[in-house]
């Protein structure tokens, strides 16, 4: 699959690291940002991009509140997962939601969020996010068999549990 020619290269993606690093993950992967970078680089290679066609920058938005890229310097923003609540009102979350609203107010810079990241995007669009109090913890709809390493990391053989969710899709959102 070839990369669409209408896009200017290099494609500049800012990864907003929305969590503190997990010590056990640090041993192998360094950070959520480096894990996300590896996925994006593999996708770029599969799309026919070559070295230099993708520029990834990492932004610690938890410990450095308000540390966001200049939108003129990026083509897309990628929000990682997080253990934090997407509905919190702490300075880090509030600043992040405000920054995402700034991105949503323009048309050029694209957004993608994973788990917590998609909840933050939805919140910035006016959706209600919160704890899943009606059904409690949910697991995936498809069994996920963990490797030996995964079982050791998560402490279980199947599934990963989630307790927060998108309670209501925003009026202009697609889910």
């Amino acid at each position: 699959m070839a990369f669409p020619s209408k896009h200017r290269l290099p494609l500049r993606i800012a990864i907003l690291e929305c969590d503190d690093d997990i010590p056990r993950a640090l041993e192998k992967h360094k950070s959520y940002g480096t894990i996300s970078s590896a996925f994006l680089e593999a996708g770029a290679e599969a799309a026919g991009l070559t070295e230099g066609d993708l520029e990834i920058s990492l932004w610690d938005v938890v410990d450095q509140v308000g540390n966001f890229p200049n939108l003129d310097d990026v083509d897309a923003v990628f929000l990682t997962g997080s253990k934090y609540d997407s509905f919190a009102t702490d300075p880090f979350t509030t600043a992040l939601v405000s920054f995402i609203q700034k991105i949503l107010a323009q048309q050029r810079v694209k957004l993608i969020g994973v788990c917590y990241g998609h909840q933050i995007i939805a919140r910035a669009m006016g959706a209600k996010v919160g704890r899943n109090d009606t059904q409690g913890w949910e697991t995936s709809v498809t069994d996920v068999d963990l490797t030996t390493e995964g079982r050791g990391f998560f402490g279980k053989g199947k599934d990963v549990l989630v307790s927060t969710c998108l309670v209501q899709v925003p009026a202009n959102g697609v889910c």
Side-chain angles (χ1 to χ4, degrees), residues 18-144:
C18 301
D19 204 343
D20 302 313
D21 297 321
I22 300 169
R24 290 170 79 179
L26 280 174
E27 295 170 12
K28 183 174 182 180
H29 302 290
K30 298 184 184 170
S31 72
Y32 279 106
T34 56
I35 294 168
S36 301
S37 291
F39 285 123
L40 291 171
E41 289 166 355
E45 184 178 333
L49 295 179
T50 59
E51 189 173 334
D53 288 344
L54 187 65
E55 290 180 4
I56 296 174
S57 57
L58 304 179
W59 298 81
D60 177 354
V61 298
V62 177
D63 295 324
Q64 299 175 28
V65 174
N67 180 39
F68 301 116
N70 181 323
L71 295 183
D72 291 334
D73 298 334
V74 297
D75 301 305
V77 173
F78 181 106
L79 287 83
T80 68
S82 179
K83 66 180 170 277
Y84 296 108
D85 292 326
S86 59
F87 52 87
T89 57
D90 59 84
F92 142 66
T93 306
T94 303
L96 182 57
V97 169
S98 293
F99 179 68
I100 299 308
Q101 288 171 331
K102 180 179 173 183
I103 296 171
L104 292 168
Q106 54 79 59
Q107 297 294 312
R108 192 185 62 77
V109 177
K110 306 304 181 201
L111 273 171
I112 187 166
V114 175
C115 197
Y116 169 87
H118 92 271
Q119 293 175 46
I120 289 294
I121 294 169
R123 178 178 167 183
M125 295 173 71
K128 180 180 178 189
V129 292
R131 185 122 5 251
N132 185 1
D133 291 329
T134 59
Q135 296 184 23
W137 288 81
E138 292 184 25
T139 60
S140 64
V141 294
T142 303
D143 282 345
V144 176

Side-chain angles (χ1 to χ4, degrees), residues 3-24:
F3 192 73
S5 61
K6 68 179 182 175
H7 295 283
R8 180 181 60 77
L9 295 177
L11 182 60
R12 304 164 301 166
I13 302 175
I15 297 176
L16 306 187
E17 296 182 288
C18 301
D19 204 343
D20 302 313
D21 297 321
I22 300 169
R24 290 170 79 179

